């Protein structure tokens, strides 16, 4: 199957994403997120995609984590989806900015209570003296909020990657894959095909 270009890459993204969502993938929203420190040291990890709109691709995390630190000093990132059963990959790149407090509050409020407590309890990406330290934090947080609603921690929020570059890759026989690239430009998108 080759790639049918669309004028707006978001439409093509949505088609492929919906197809992936219909497969039994476990976490069809899982995406690799690559960031780099100010000195250019790259790192990658999985996150869950929580939004894909014209203004960008949204994910949530601890702002003091390694990725959060990277994005603070170097607000550029790349996302990579790979759906093996479809023989497809999508690469998305662009500048990253924080989502609004209201948006983060709304998403945080939709999470399960135990996940909300976990967000408070985890100093994500910092050294953990032992599993017990984390369990103690979880218990202390649960006691602290009792039966009250758990507010969003000030160090936990989301980012929006404003896509300026997307590449749609479709497997071809004998490694003669299709690669369709979209570059954002004034008032629209410029497309080109790349050699595989
Ligand atoms: C499938 C999957 C989904 C994940 N989703 C998230 C997520 O949405 N947000 C997040 O902070 N970490 C998520 N994680 C954990 C991250 O991969 C990572 O371990 C963590 O965010 C710390 O990364 P860092 O130290 O590079 O900041 C996910 C892990 C997996 C395997």
């Amino acid at each position: 199957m080759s790639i049918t270009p669309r004028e707006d890459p978001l439409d093509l993204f949505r088609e492929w994403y919906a197809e992936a969502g219909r497969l039994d993938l476990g976490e069809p929203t899982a995406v690799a997120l690559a960031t780099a420190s100010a000195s250019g040291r790259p790192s990658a990890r999985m996150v869950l995609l929580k939004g894909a709109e014209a203004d960008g691709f949204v994910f949530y995390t601890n702002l003091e984590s390694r990725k959060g630190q990277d994005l603070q000093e170097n607000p550029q990132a790349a996302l990579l989806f790979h759906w093996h059963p479809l023989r497809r990959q999508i690469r998305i790149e662009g500048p990253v900015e924080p989502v609004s407090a209201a948006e983060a509050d709304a998403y945080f409020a939709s999470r399960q209570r135990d996940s909300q407590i976990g967000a408070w309890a985890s100093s994500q990406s910092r050294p953990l003296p032992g599993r017990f330290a984390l369990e103690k934090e979880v218990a202390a947080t649960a006691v602290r909020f009792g039966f009250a609603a758990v507010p969003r921690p000030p160090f936990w929020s989301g980012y929006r990657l404003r896509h300026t570059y997307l590449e749609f890759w479709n497997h071809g026989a004998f490694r003669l894959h299709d690669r369709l690239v979209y570059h954002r430009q004034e008032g629209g998108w410029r497309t080109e095909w790349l050699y595989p």
Side-chain angles (χ1 to χ4, degrees), residues 30 45-48 60-62 65-67 124-125:
R45 77 291 288 153
M46 301 304 292
V47 294
L48 297 180
Y60 287 89
T61 192
N62 184 309
S65 63
R66 178 169 177 190
K67 71 183 94 48
Q124 192 179 58
S125 311

Side-chain angles (χ1 to χ4, degrees), residues 4-196:
T4 310
R6 306 281 173 220
E7 203 166 311
D8 185 337
L10 194 61
D11 291 334
L12 188 51
F13 172 81
R14 285 186 172 142
E15 280 171 31
W16 285 24
Y17 193 59
E19 274 183 60
R22 287 192 286 273
L23 300 170
D24 188 17
L25 291 179
E27 292 281 16
T29 70
V31 58
L33 165 73
T35 58
S37 65
S39 66
R41 181 174 169 164
S43 60
R45 77 291 288 153
M46 301 304 292
V47 294
L48 297 180
L49 186 74
K50 293 298 174 185
E53 301 295 335
D55 60 357
F57 291 76
V58 174
F59 55 91
Y60 287 89
T61 192
N62 184 309
L63 304 178
E64 297 168 357
S65 63
R66 178 169 177 190
K67 71 183 94 48
Q69 301 235 348
D70 278 1
L71 291 172
Q72 195 179 334
E73 52 192 59
N74 179 12
Q76 295 277 341
L79 296 170
L80 173 67
F81 292 92
H82 172 228
W83 300 300
H84 180 68
L86 297 174
R87 307 289 194 274
R88 282 174 177 166
Q89 103 180 320
I90 302 179
R91 298 164 63 161
I92 304 169
E93 299 170 19
V96 173
E97 60 189 43
V99 301
S100 71
E103 198 175 342
D105 286 345
Y107 173 64
F108 189 78
S110 77
R111 300 181 91 209
Q112 291 193 333
R113 189 179 180 82
D114 284 349
S115 302
Q116 295 174 334
I117 289 171
W120 277 98
S122 173
S123 303
Q124 192 179 58
S125 311
R126 275 136 302 166
L128 175 70
R131 187 80 198 172
F132 182 60
L134 177 60
E135 283 164 13
K136 234 171 42 182
E137 279 298 330
V138 168
T141 308
V143 168
R144 180 173 156 203
F145 291 112
F147 293 106
V150 181
R152 178 173 61 89
F155 52 81
W156 192 98
S157 188
Y159 290 100
R160 174 170 284 109
L161 186 157
R162 288 195 178 270
H163 47 294
T164 55
Y165 176 99
L166 296 93
E167 182 199 316
F168 294 84
W169 181 100
N170 194 74
H171 176 269
F174 307 110
R175 300 205 159 68
L176 299 179
H177 317 297
D178 291 314
R179 299 179 68 189
L180 173 62
V181 167
Y182 288 78
H183 299 271
R184 191 186 285 279
Q185 62 178 23
E186 248 339 267
W189 294 91
R190 177 174 66 79
T191 56
E192 65 185 348
W193 296 89
L194 301 182
Y195 281 95

